[in-house]
Amino acid sequence: MTETHTITVLVENRPGVLARVSGLFARRGYNIESLTVSITDDPNVSRMTLVVGGDADILEQITKQLHKLLDVLKVYDYVNTPMLERELALIKVTVAPERQVELIQLVTQVFGGKIIDTTDKAFVVEVTGGAEKIDAFEKLMESYGIRELVRTGRIALMRGSRTV
């Protein structure tokens, strides 16, 4: 049975580490559905959040292989762990003048998003939330005419006081 897993990997903040981690997945034929990377509160450590699909055996194999990489400090699979997760989407839409008020209300009041740029021909909207919320918002924006769309990958933290 294929499941989607969110995995956090703490790594040394050095050139080439991302290539080694992503190369591990590529060499074994595993697809990374989402990947975000940033420096942590410690400038020597980066945090990678990966979303990968596969059954439990495949995910166990992936985490074991990650642990073998020299620059990897810690690997955590959020399976059965309460977590908070978010994505960010920026969407540029074409908006006819008669639909601008409707769009503004939909973005700000229904989805809690923001209009971050406007011109006479387009609006750029920002929305954050879980993948389902972003998917639903994207689908609604299609009726306005999506000109450009970009989404971050998933980011995640454990709920409560525990940390990776």
Short mmCIF file of all heavy atoms in Angstrom, two decimals, residues 97-141:
data_model
loop_
_atom_site.label_atom_id
_atom_site.label_comp_id
_atom_site.label_asym_id
_atom_site.label_seq_id
_atom_site.Cartn_x
_atom_site.Cartn_y
_atom_site.Cartn_z
N PRO A 97 -12.55 43.55 -14.54
CA PRO A 97 -12.93 44.57 -13.55
C PRO A 97 -14.20 44.22 -12.77
O PRO A 97 -14.29 44.46 -11.57
CB PRO A 97 -13.12 45.83 -14.39
CG PRO A 97 -12.24 45.63 -15.59
CD PRO A 97 -12.28 44.14 -15.85
N GLU A 98 -15.17 43.63 -13.43
CA GLU A 98 -16.44 43.31 -12.75
C GLU A 98 -16.31 42.14 -11.76
O GLU A 98 -17.21 41.92 -10.96
CB GLU A 98 -17.55 43.03 -13.77
CG GLU A 98 -17.33 41.82 -14.67
CD GLU A 98 -16.52 42.13 -15.93
OE1 GLU A 98 -15.99 43.24 -16.09
OE2 GLU A 98 -16.41 41.21 -16.76
N ARG A 99 -15.20 41.43 -11.79
CA ARG A 99 -15.01 40.30 -10.86
C ARG A 99 -13.96 40.58 -9.78
O ARG A 99 -13.66 39.72 -8.96
CB ARG A 99 -14.60 39.04 -11.64
CG ARG A 99 -15.72 38.56 -12.57
CD ARG A 99 -15.43 37.21 -13.15
NE ARG A 99 -15.55 36.17 -12.14
CZ ARG A 99 -15.10 34.94 -12.30
NH1 ARG A 99 -14.51 34.58 -13.42
NH2 ARG A 99 -15.23 34.04 -11.35
N GLN A 100 -13.38 41.77 -9.76
CA GLN A 100 -12.32 42.06 -8.81
C GLN A 100 -12.79 42.02 -7.36
O GLN A 100 -12.11 41.46 -6.51
CB GLN A 100 -11.68 43.42 -9.13
CG GLN A 100 -10.84 43.37 -10.38
CD GLN A 100 -10.20 44.70 -10.73
OE1 GLN A 100 -10.44 45.71 -10.08
NE2 GLN A 100 -9.38 44.70 -11.76
N VAL A 101 -13.95 42.58 -7.07
CA VAL A 101 -14.46 42.57 -5.69
C VAL A 101 -14.72 41.13 -5.25
O VAL A 101 -14.38 40.74 -4.13
CB VAL A 101 -15.74 43.43 -5.57
CG1 VAL A 101 -16.41 43.24 -4.21
CG2 VAL A 101 -15.42 44.89 -5.80
N GLU A 102 -15.29 40.34 -6.13
CA GLU A 102 -15.54 38.91 -5.85
C GLU A 102 -14.24 38.18 -5.52
O GLU A 102 -14.16 37.43 -4.56
CB GLU A 102 -16.22 38.30 -7.08
CG GLU A 102 -16.38 36.81 -7.07
CD GLU A 102 -16.84 36.29 -8.44
OE1 GLU A 102 -17.57 37.00 -9.15
OE2 GLU A 102 -16.43 35.16 -8.77
N LEU A 103 -13.20 38.44 -6.31
CA LEU A 103 -11.91 37.80 -6.09
C LEU A 103 -11.32 38.22 -4.74
O LEU A 103 -10.85 37.38 -3.98
CB LEU A 103 -10.92 38.13 -7.20
CG LEU A 103 -9.50 37.59 -6.96
CD1 LEU A 103 -9.46 36.09 -7.16
CD2 LEU A 103 -8.50 38.28 -7.84
N ILE A 104 -11.35 39.50 -4.45
CA ILE A 104 -10.80 40.00 -3.19
C ILE A 104 -11.49 39.36 -2.00
O ILE A 104 -10.85 38.93 -1.05
CB ILE A 104 -10.88 41.54 -3.13
CG1 ILE A 104 -9.93 42.14 -4.16
CG2 ILE A 104 -10.57 42.06 -1.73
CD1 ILE A 104 -10.13 43.63 -4.42
N GLN A 105 -12.82 39.25 -2.06
CA GLN A 105 -13.56 38.60 -0.97
C GLN A 105 -13.22 37.13 -0.85
O GLN A 105 -13.02 36.62 0.25
CB GLN A 105 -15.07 38.78 -1.17
CG GLN A 105 -15.54 40.18 -0.93
CD GLN A 105 -17.02 40.36 -1.21
OE1 GLN A 105 -17.62 39.61 -1.99
NE2 GLN A 105 -17.62 41.36 -0.57
N LEU A 106 -13.12 36.45 -1.95
CA LEU A 106 -12.77 35.03 -1.94
C LEU A 106 -11.39 34.82 -1.33
O LEU A 106 -11.21 33.97 -0.46
CB LEU A 106 -12.82 34.47 -3.37
CG LEU A 106 -12.54 32.98 -3.54
CD1 LEU A 106 -13.62 32.15 -2.87
CD2 LEU A 106 -12.46 32.63 -5.01
N VAL A 107 -10.43 35.61 -1.77
CA VAL A 107 -9.06 35.47 -1.27
C VAL A 107 -8.98 35.79 0.21
O VAL A 107 -8.46 35.00 1.00
CB VAL A 107 -8.08 36.38 -2.07
CG1 VAL A 107 -6.72 36.43 -1.40
CG2 VAL A 107 -7.96 35.89 -3.51
N THR A 108 -9.49 36.95 0.61
CA THR A 108 -9.28 37.43 1.98
C THR A 108 -10.25 36.86 3.00
O THR A 108 -9.85 36.51 4.10
CB THR A 108 -9.33 38.96 2.03
OG1 THR A 108 -10.61 39.41 1.59
CG2 THR A 108 -8.23 39.57 1.17
N GLN A 109 -11.52 36.76 2.65
CA GLN A 109 -12.51 36.34 3.64
C GLN A 109 -12.73 34.83 3.69
O GLN A 109 -12.94 34.28 4.75
CB GLN A 109 -13.84 37.06 3.38
CG GLN A 109 -13.71 38.56 3.59
CD GLN A 109 -14.97 39.32 3.19
OE1 GLN A 109 -16.00 38.73 2.91
NE2 GLN A 109 -14.86 40.65 3.15
N VAL A 110 -12.68 34.18 2.55
CA VAL A 110 -12.94 32.74 2.53
C VAL A 110 -11.66 31.95 2.80
O VAL A 110 -11.65 31.01 3.59
CB VAL A 110 -13.58 32.31 1.19
CG1 VAL A 110 -13.78 30.80 1.15
CG2 VAL A 110 -14.91 33.03 0.97
N PHE A 111 -10.56 32.34 2.15
CA PHE A 111 -9.32 31.56 2.26
C PHE A 111 -8.27 32.20 3.16
O PHE A 111 -7.22 31.63 3.38
CB PHE A 111 -8.72 31.29 0.87
CG PHE A 111 -9.43 30.19 0.15
CD1 PHE A 111 -10.52 30.45 -0.66
CD2 PHE A 111 -9.02 28.87 0.31
CE1 PHE A 111 -11.19 29.43 -1.32
CE2 PHE A 111 -9.67 27.84 -0.34
CZ PHE A 111 -10.76 28.12 -1.15
N GLY A 112 -8.53 33.37 3.69
CA GLY A 112 -7.58 34.02 4.59
C GLY A 112 -6.27 34.39 3.92
O GLY A 112 -5.24 34.48 4.56
N GLY A 113 -6.33 34.62 2.62
CA GLY A 113 -5.13 34.97 1.86
C GLY A 113 -4.95 36.46 1.75
O GLY A 113 -5.65 37.25 2.40
N LYS A 114 -4.00 36.85 0.91
CA LYS A 114 -3.69 38.26 0.71
C LYS A 114 -3.54 38.55 -0.77
O LYS A 114 -3.05 37.70 -1.53
CB LYS A 114 -2.36 38.62 1.38
CG LYS A 114 -2.31 38.46 2.86
CD LYS A 114 -0.91 38.78 3.37
CE LYS A 114 -0.80 38.48 4.84
NZ LYS A 114 0.57 38.69 5.33
N ILE A 115 -3.92 39.75 -1.14
CA ILE A 115 -3.58 40.26 -2.47
C ILE A 115 -2.25 40.97 -2.28
O ILE A 115 -2.16 41.92 -1.50
CB ILE A 115 -4.64 41.27 -2.98
CG1 ILE A 115 -6.05 40.69 -2.91
CG2 ILE A 115 -4.26 41.78 -4.36
CD1 ILE A 115 -6.34 39.58 -3.87
N ILE A 116 -1.19 40.51 -2.94
CA ILE A 116 0.13 41.10 -2.69
C ILE A 116 0.62 41.98 -3.83
O ILE A 116 1.62 42.69 -3.67
CB ILE A 116 1.18 40.03 -2.33
CG1 ILE A 116 1.36 39.01 -3.44
CG2 ILE A 116 0.81 39.35 -1.02
CD1 ILE A 116 2.52 38.06 -3.21
N ASP A 117 -0.10 41.96 -4.97
CA ASP A 117 0.27 42.85 -6.08
C ASP A 117 -0.93 42.96 -7.00
O ASP A 117 -1.67 41.98 -7.20
CB ASP A 117 1.48 42.30 -6.83
CG ASP A 117 2.03 43.29 -7.85
OD1 ASP A 117 2.15 44.48 -7.51
OD2 ASP A 117 2.34 42.86 -8.98
N THR A 118 -1.11 44.15 -7.56
CA THR A 118 -2.18 44.34 -8.52
C THR A 118 -1.69 45.22 -9.67
O THR A 118 -0.84 46.08 -9.48
CB THR A 118 -3.42 45.03 -7.89
OG1 THR A 118 -3.06 46.33 -7.45
CG2 THR A 118 -4.00 44.23 -6.76
N THR A 119 -2.23 44.95 -10.83
CA THR A 119 -2.06 45.82 -11.99
C THR A 119 -3.43 45.92 -12.62
O THR A 119 -4.40 45.32 -12.13
CB THR A 119 -1.05 45.25 -13.01
OG1 THR A 119 -1.60 44.06 -13.59
CG2 THR A 119 0.30 44.96 -12.37
N ASP A 120 -3.52 46.65 -13.70
CA ASP A 120 -4.83 46.75 -14.36
C ASP A 120 -5.25 45.44 -15.01
O ASP A 120 -6.43 45.24 -15.31
CB ASP A 120 -4.83 47.89 -15.38
CG ASP A 120 -3.76 47.73 -16.45
OD1 ASP A 120 -2.77 47.03 -16.20
OD2 ASP A 120 -3.93 48.32 -17.53
N LYS A 121 -4.32 44.50 -15.19
CA LYS A 121 -4.64 43.25 -15.86
C LYS A 121 -4.53 42.00 -14.98
O LYS A 121 -5.00 40.94 -15.37
CB LYS A 121 -3.76 43.07 -17.08
CG LYS A 121 -3.98 44.12 -18.14
CD LYS A 121 -3.10 43.88 -19.34
CE LYS A 121 -3.36 44.97 -20.36
NZ LYS A 121 -2.50 44.85 -21.52
N ALA A 122 -3.86 42.11 -13.84
CA ALA A 122 -3.64 40.89 -13.05
C ALA A 122 -3.52 41.20 -11.57
O ALA A 122 -3.14 42.30 -11.17
CB ALA A 122 -2.37 40.19 -13.53
N PHE A 123 -3.84 40.20 -10.78
CA PHE A 123 -3.65 40.22 -9.33
C PHE A 123 -2.71 39.08 -8.99
O PHE A 123 -2.78 38.02 -9.58
CB PHE A 123 -4.96 39.97 -8.59
CG PHE A 123 -5.88 41.14 -8.45
CD1 PHE A 123 -6.01 42.11 -9.43
CD2 PHE A 123 -6.65 41.27 -7.30
CE1 PHE A 123 -6.87 43.16 -9.28
CE2 PHE A 123 -7.53 42.32 -7.15
CZ PHE A 123 -7.63 43.28 -8.14
N VAL A 124 -1.84 39.30 -8.00
CA VAL A 124 -1.04 38.20 -7.45
C VAL A 124 -1.57 37.97 -6.05
O VAL A 124 -1.63 38.90 -5.23
CB VAL A 124 0.46 38.52 -7.41
CG1 VAL A 124 1.23 37.38 -6.75
CG2 VAL A 124 0.99 38.78 -8.82
N VAL A 125 -1.99 36.73 -5.79
CA VAL A 125 -2.56 36.39 -4.50
C VAL A 125 -1.65 35.40 -3.79
O VAL A 125 -0.95 34.61 -4.42
CB VAL A 125 -3.99 35.82 -4.63
CG1 VAL A 125 -4.91 36.86 -5.25
CG2 VAL A 125 -4.02 34.56 -5.45
N GLU A 126 -1.67 35.47 -2.47
CA GLU A 126 -0.87 34.60 -1.61
C GLU A 126 -1.83 33.88 -0.68
O GLU A 126 -2.70 34.49 -0.08
CB GLU A 126 0.10 35.45 -0.80
CG GLU A 126 0.80 34.72 0.32
CD GLU A 126 1.56 35.71 1.22
OE1 GLU A 126 2.36 36.50 0.70
OE2 GLU A 126 1.34 35.65 2.45
N VAL A 127 -1.65 32.58 -0.57
CA VAL A 127 -2.46 31.80 0.37
C VAL A 127 -1.57 30.74 1.00
O VAL A 127 -0.67 30.20 0.35
CB VAL A 127 -3.71 31.18 -0.31
CG1 VAL A 127 -3.33 30.13 -1.32
CG2 VAL A 127 -4.69 30.65 0.70
N THR A 128 -1.80 30.49 2.29
CA THR A 128 -1.05 29.45 2.99
C THR A 128 -2.04 28.47 3.60
O THR A 128 -3.18 28.82 3.89
CB THR A 128 -0.17 30.03 4.12
OG1 THR A 128 -1.00 30.69 5.06
CG2 THR A 128 0.87 30.97 3.58
N GLY A 129 -1.57 27.25 3.81
CA GLY A 129 -2.42 26.24 4.44
C GLY A 129 -1.94 24.85 4.08
O GLY A 129 -0.88 24.68 3.47
N GLY A 130 -2.75 23.88 4.44
CA GLY A 130 -2.47 22.51 4.08
C GLY A 130 -2.65 22.29 2.59
O GLY A 130 -3.23 23.12 1.89
N ALA A 131 -2.14 21.17 2.10
CA ALA A 131 -2.19 20.88 0.67
C ALA A 131 -3.62 20.88 0.13
O ALA A 131 -3.88 21.38 -0.97
CB ALA A 131 -1.52 19.54 0.39
N GLU A 132 -4.57 20.37 0.91
CA GLU A 132 -5.96 20.32 0.45
C GLU A 132 -6.52 21.72 0.25
O GLU A 132 -7.24 21.99 -0.71
CB GLU A 132 -6.84 19.54 1.43
CG GLU A 132 -6.46 18.08 1.60
CD GLU A 132 -5.29 17.87 2.55
OE1 GLU A 132 -4.97 18.78 3.37
OE2 GLU A 132 -4.64 16.82 2.47
N LYS A 133 -6.21 22.61 1.17
CA LYS A 133 -6.67 24.00 1.06
C LYS A 133 -6.06 24.67 -0.17
O LYS A 133 -6.76 25.34 -0.93
CB LYS A 133 -6.31 24.79 2.32
CG LYS A 133 -6.69 26.26 2.25
CD LYS A 133 -6.26 26.99 3.51
CE LYS A 133 -6.53 28.48 3.42
NZ LYS A 133 -6.07 29.20 4.62
N ILE A 134 -4.77 24.47 -0.38
CA ILE A 134 -4.10 25.06 -1.53
C ILE A 134 -4.68 24.49 -2.82
O ILE A 134 -4.92 25.22 -3.78
CB ILE A 134 -2.57 24.85 -1.47
CG1 ILE A 134 -1.99 25.42 -0.18
CG2 ILE A 134 -1.89 25.44 -2.69
CD1 ILE A 134 -2.09 26.89 0.02
N ASP A 135 -4.92 23.19 -2.87
CA ASP A 135 -5.52 22.55 -4.05
C ASP A 135 -6.89 23.15 -4.35
O ASP A 135 -7.21 23.46 -5.51
CB ASP A 135 -5.67 21.04 -3.85
CG ASP A 135 -4.34 20.30 -3.82
OD1 ASP A 135 -3.32 20.86 -4.27
OD2 ASP A 135 -4.34 19.14 -3.33
N ALA A 136 -7.72 23.31 -3.31
CA ALA A 136 -9.06 23.87 -3.49
C ALA A 136 -8.99 25.31 -3.98
O ALA A 136 -9.74 25.72 -4.89
CB ALA A 136 -9.84 23.79 -2.18
N PHE A 137 -8.09 26.08 -3.42
CA PHE A 137 -7.93 27.47 -3.83
C PHE A 137 -7.47 27.55 -5.29
O PHE A 137 -8.01 28.33 -6.08
CB PHE A 137 -6.92 28.18 -2.92
CG PHE A 137 -6.76 29.63 -3.22
CD1 PHE A 137 -7.76 30.53 -2.89
CD2 PHE A 137 -5.61 30.10 -3.83
CE1 PHE A 137 -7.62 31.88 -3.18
CE2 PHE A 137 -5.46 31.44 -4.12
CZ PHE A 137 -6.47 32.33 -3.79
N GLU A 138 -6.52 26.72 -5.64
CA GLU A 138 -6.02 26.69 -7.02
C GLU A 138 -7.14 26.38 -8.00
O GLU A 138 -7.27 27.00 -9.05
CB GLU A 138 -4.91 25.65 -7.12
CG GLU A 138 -4.23 25.57 -8.45
CD GLU A 138 -3.14 24.51 -8.49
OE1 GLU A 138 -2.50 24.25 -7.45
OE2 GLU A 138 -2.94 23.93 -9.57
N LYS A 139 -7.98 25.41 -7.64
CA LYS A 139 -9.10 25.03 -8.52
C LYS A 139 -10.06 26.21 -8.72
O LYS A 139 -10.51 26.47 -9.83
CB LYS A 139 -9.83 23.82 -7.94
CG LYS A 139 -10.91 23.28 -8.83
CD LYS A 139 -11.05 21.79 -8.65
CE LYS A 139 -12.07 21.19 -9.55
NZ LYS A 139 -11.69 21.20 -10.96
N LEU A 140 -10.35 26.95 -7.63
CA LEU A 140 -11.23 28.11 -7.75
C LEU A 140 -10.60 29.22 -8.59
O LEU A 140 -11.31 29.94 -9.31
CB LEU A 140 -11.58 28.65 -6.37
CG LEU A 140 -12.59 27.83 -5.57
CD1 LEU A 140 -12.71 28.36 -4.15
CD2 LEU A 140 -13.95 27.84 -6.26
N MET A 141 -9.30 29.36 -8.53
CA MET A 141 -8.62 30.41 -9.29
C MET A 141 -8.63 30.14 -10.79
O MET A 141 -8.48 31.06 -11.59
CB MET A 141 -7.18 30.59 -8.80
CG MET A 141 -7.06 31.19 -7.41
SD MET A 141 -7.75 32.85 -7.25
CE MET A 141 -9.31 32.50 -6.45
#
